Amino acid sequence: MASLKEVKTRINSVQSTRKITSAMKMVASAKLHKAQGAIEHMLPYQRQLNKILHNFLSGDLSIESPYVEEREVKRVAIVLFSSNSSLCGAFNANVIKMFLHTIGEYRKLGQDNILIYPIGRKVEEAVKKMGFFPKGSYQQLADKPTYQEASALAEHLMELFVSKDIDRVELIYHHFKSMGVQELVREKYLPIDLTRIEEEQAEEMEGNQVMNDYIVEPSVEQFIADLIPKVLCQEVFTAAMDSNASEHAARTLAMQVATDNANELIQDLTKQYNKGRQQAITNELLDIIGGSMK
């Protein structure tokens, strides 16, 4: 059995840890509130862009765009969204696990034909350990997402796709649903997946049968040519914001669990300390009584 001094030292140590986890929880909660507000205000804009794009691409008009061209996949790019720091539960581990599953599907292409774009230090380090060479470092985009950085990455991916240097682009990120739910998503970014957009619009338009009849100037072709890059840039930015909000939610939850565990451990150690102290006092009393009876 541990001595009273050892138990007391451990109690103090756990109390110090609890202060840290509690402070980290409050910081993560504040960041989550800010990120959640940003993503909630941006999602309607993203959905409206997708709605307009879907209405044009799925209509009777014969519109050609290099971004919807399906071709045999010989070279693929994978964009991974993670965090720069740990202490956020299984947030990063889930992304890496999904990444391993994804590259398993494309292993036949060869490592040189799998381009990795890691967003966040944790996944960047994991990719390097696996023997891949990341195509750039985007740690700032994971920590504080900005439209400028997201659009620069999106434009780079679009250039590679149009020039046929890559045949497919996939995104892996966490979609923020609520404080306790962050859904890990793997979606096709390029070529544009009209089926996914249709499903999203079906959910949005359920119960709303209003038909959209647009008047387009100067031409539909020019409008589509301008709209698609904007939608694709916005999609990368939305994924970065989604991942950022999910990270803070996961960290808030993880720190809450850690704080609760620390409280339980302190209670158990306090009971152990009190029992030990009572036993020590009892032994001293017995020694005194025994000595006085001699």
Side-chain angles (χ1 to χ4, degrees), residues 254-274:
M255 292 301 100
Q256 178 62 56
V257 172
T259 302
D260 293 342
N261 290 339
N263 287 331
E264 292 179 6
L265 185 56
I266 288 172
Q267 289 179 358
D268 293 339
L269 289 173
T270 302
K271 289 180 182 178
Q272 182 181 343
Y273 178 79
N274 290 337

Side-chain angles (χ1 to χ4, degrees), residues 10-280:
R10 195 174 176 197
I11 290 174
N12 293 334
S13 176
V14 176
Q15 286 176 339
S16 298
T17 303
R18 182 180 62 179
K19 289 180 182 179
I20 295 172
T21 57
S22 180
M24 290 185 68
K25 175 201 164 187
M26 289 188 288
V27 172
S29 180
K31 290 182 177 180
L32 170 62
H33 181 72
K34 183 178 179 180
Q36 185 177 358
I39 194 70
E40 287 178 351
H41 284 87
M42 187 179 62
L43 279 178
Y45 175 70
Q46 169 74 22
R47 288 168 181 160
Q48 190 64 25
L49 281 179
N50 286 341
K51 177 182 175 182
I52 296 172
L53 179 63
H54 169 259
N55 288 337
F56 278 101
L57 294 182
S58 62
D60 297 331
L61 298 173
S62 58
I63 299 172
E64 294 184 0
S65 172
Y67 302 111
V68 298
E69 178 188 352
E70 292 278 357
R71 53 180 181 255
E72 182 184 357
V73 179
K74 297 179 180 178
R75 212 159 187 241
V76 64
I78 303 173
V79 185
L80 308 166
F81 292 83
S82 71
S83 67
N84 288 331
S85 56
S86 54
L87 299 178
C88 48
F91 179 81
N92 294 311
N94 289 337
V95 174
I96 295 170
K97 185 177 179 181
M98 177 66 77
F99 169 65
L100 289 172
H101 176 73
T102 303
I103 61 174
E105 296 180 6
Y106 294 116
R107 193 172 298 278
K108 61 182 180 180
L109 300 178
Q111 185 169 321
D112 294 337
N113 293 320
I114 302 176
L115 309 183
I116 311 299
Y117 291 84
I119 314 297
R121 182 169 59 87
K122 288 299 179 181
V123 76
E124 183 178 335
E125 292 174 351
V127 166
K128 289 179 180 178
K129 288 180 181 178
M130 295 176 193
F132 289 91
F133 297 97
K135 301 299 179 180
S137 180
Y138 302 91
Q139 295 184 18
Q140 185 66 25
L141 185 58
D143 199 26
K144 295 180 180 178
T146 62
Y147 183 79
Q148 288 75 16
E149 287 189 72
S151 61
L153 174 59
E155 288 168 2
H156 172 67
L157 294 171
M158 284 186 276
E159 288 177 7
L160 292 178
F161 185 79
V162 171
S163 62
K164 298 186 179 181
D165 288 331
I166 54 176
D167 304 302
R168 177 175 290 183
V169 182
E170 294 196 10
L171 306 180
I172 298 177
Y173 65 97
H174 281 86
H175 171 55
F176 177 81
K177 286 193 170 183
S178 66
M179 170 70 182
V181 180
Q182 300 88 44
E183 180 185 3
L184 185 61
V185 177
R186 173 190 170 189
E187 66 182 27
K188 184 169 68 172
Y189 178 66
L190 284 171
I192 295 175
D193 188 357
L194 291 178
T195 304
R196 177 175 59 84
I197 297 178
E198 285 178 5
E199 292 174 354
E200 292 177 357
Q201 294 309 313
E203 294 177 2
E204 290 291 319
M205 296 297 294
E206 188 174 351
N208 183 6
Q209 301 299 325
V210 178
M211 300 299 291
N212 295 291
D213 187 11
Y214 299 105
I215 299 175
V216 182
E217 293 182 359
S219 66
V220 175
E221 291 76 11
Q222 183 61 43
F223 177 76
I224 290 296
D226 293 338
L227 177 63
I228 289 180
K230 184 179 289 291
V231 171
L232 291 173
C233 289
Q234 183 66 30
E235 191 168 342
V236 172
F237 182 51
T238 302
M241 293 290 290
D242 245 349
S243 179
N244 185 253
S246 298
E247 174 198 345
H248 295 315
R251 182 170 290 110
T252 301
L253 192 61
M255 292 301 100
Q256 178 62 56
V257 172
T259 302
D260 293 342
N261 290 339
N263 287 331
E264 292 179 6
L265 185 56
I266 288 172
Q267 289 179 358
D268 293 339
L269 289 173
T270 302
K271 289 180 182 178
Q272 182 181 343
Y273 178 79
N274 290 337
K275 286 181 180 179
R277 189 176 62 173
Q278 289 173 355
Q279 184 64 44

